[in-house]
Amino acid sequence: MTMLLEAVGLTKTFPGVKALDSVSLRLESGTVHALLGENGAGKSTLIKALTGVHQPDSGRILVAGTPLSLDSPADARDAGIGVVHQERNVIRGFTVGENIVLGRMPRRAGRIDWGGVKREAARCLDMLDVDLDPSTPISELSSAQMQLVEIARALYTETKVLLLDEPTASISAAEGDRLFRVVDRLREEGAAVLFVSHKLEEVYAHCDTVTVLRDGRSVLESQPLSEHPHDEIVDTMVGRALGSLTVPSRASRPDSAPILELRGVTTAAGHRDVSLAVRPGEIVGLYGLVGAGRTELARSIVGLERITEGELLVGGEPARIRSVRQALHRYRLSYVTENRKEEGVFLEQDIARNIAVTVWSTLTRVPGLVSGRRERALSQRWVDELDIRISSHEQLVGRLSGGNQQKVSLAKWLAADPRILIIDEPTVGIDLRTKRSFYELIWRLAEQGMAILLISSDLAEMVTLADRVAVMDRFVITGELANSHDYDRMSHEIIRLIHSGEEVPA
């Protein structure tokens, strides 16, 4: 095998934190290499160093054995290094074809050859067995399709090394299968693929070698994955035995009246005759495949989509919610969106401002002037409560790890003292230790009497946390199950509900 990319002793320091501390990595041709670690371990910083976004303070990067200085993403691209980030990196105003050939557009007589753009894009899409028209606006694609367009772009630039950062975090299982077929093909053709994921079952199914980062250091470096069992990898990532992701049982409250209830609800988003109830102190799971309509139902409850028929009741009284603000301040109903980057937090604002935004009106001394001291005091309370890892309250949220950004997104809603919490995909892209802390937090909120509607595509998460599970398929509730917390039984019953649309006997 040929060594296609090697990092030797990379160190990178940002104000207040050493993100990489003498990290090394080796990627050989014809292999898929797993890069593992908790949020904040340094994975994203390493990828940015390997793609010219960040320049390391010390250390070397070698491509095919030759030391190179990657001063920009263009340098990395020219060296045959491609990357697909967890957040889609496409230009939504462009077509599929334009996004694929971006930066190296075919030209004829000094002008862009638009026919060549379509031909080259079609060629790359055919290599991936993807049926997309290069003329399609990128804005019309799903997240998974955009991801494949980014891989097609890497093929167009003749990428020899492909870095995939959480590629399956926001796509369905079927879309993930297609992605892995592409990965397998690239491996067979001699490319090296770096695969970042928190889903260890995917890592063991598709990766050959592994590097583990912890606190900015490589604690396991470019080793055969088959020589390191699952539990050993987990212990290496967190520095101690993690234990199972379980939470204590809670006393049920079957006799209490629902605090959030839907009766025969039809929505402009496409739901039909949806009925659902959540009681105080109860966690109700809403499970379904990607595209089943779960997020759209949550958005309908908080006024972002229109309810056209049926009743929405809060505290037993009919509610007509027209906005997220009204949901929060009139009904004490909070919604933690799955899209934390674009809807959950303000990336270019500091932590204190993000957490305080829902309660600014209570932090003013002079009308229109928010007290910075009160903002910071409130922020400190929730930083402590949720164990948010920060360097200061003035740190920009965009500089936090994904797990800490998710905690900030949750903190801003909890600061407003809700009695109902809708939380959508709370642990996507989050490491095992942070995931456990979220489980314990959600359990604790329910124990304190909060009503929680939990939307998750992680079946194990659903079986761990929920008291009841409502299954949604094609914008319809196909059944509801009391949670026995027996994973094998629950997964069988839930999958049958998805595919048959029929009640499953207990």
Side-chain angles (χ1 to χ4, degrees), residues 23 92 116 134:
V23 167
R92 293 179 179 271

Side-chain angles (χ1 to χ4, degrees), residues 317-382:
E317 299 294 330
R320 296 177 64 83
I321 300 176
R322 301 304 187 196
S323 68
V324 173
R325 179 180 178 83
Q326 184 187 35
L328 178 63
H329 293 294
R330 183 171 179 179
Y331 297 101
R332 294 176 61 196
L333 192 164
S334 291
Y335 171 46
V336 182
T337 173
E338 65 173 335
N339 188 353
R340 63 174 177 258
K341 295 284 188 182
E342 296 181 15
E343 298 177 350
V345 293
F346 302 109
L347 295 174
E348 299 303 319
Q349 296 289 332
D350 63 37
I351 291 159
R353 181 132 299 183
N354 267 272
I355 292 177
V357 66
T358 57
V359 291
W360 271 345
S361 62
T362 68
L363 303 178
T364 57
R365 286 185 172 177
V366 178
L369 183 62
V370 177
S371 166
R373 182 181 61 80
R374 292 183 179 184
E375 262 193 345
R376 288 188 294 275
L378 178 72
S379 175
Q380 186 63 56
R381 173 192 170 190
W382 290 105

Side-chain angles (χ1 to χ4, degrees), residues 156-173:
Y156 175 67
T157 56
E158 299 181 350
T159 292
K160 298 294 189 296
V161 178
L162 181 62
L163 315 181
L164 298 175
D165 190 1
E166 293 285 353
T168 62
S170 57
I171 63 177
S172 69

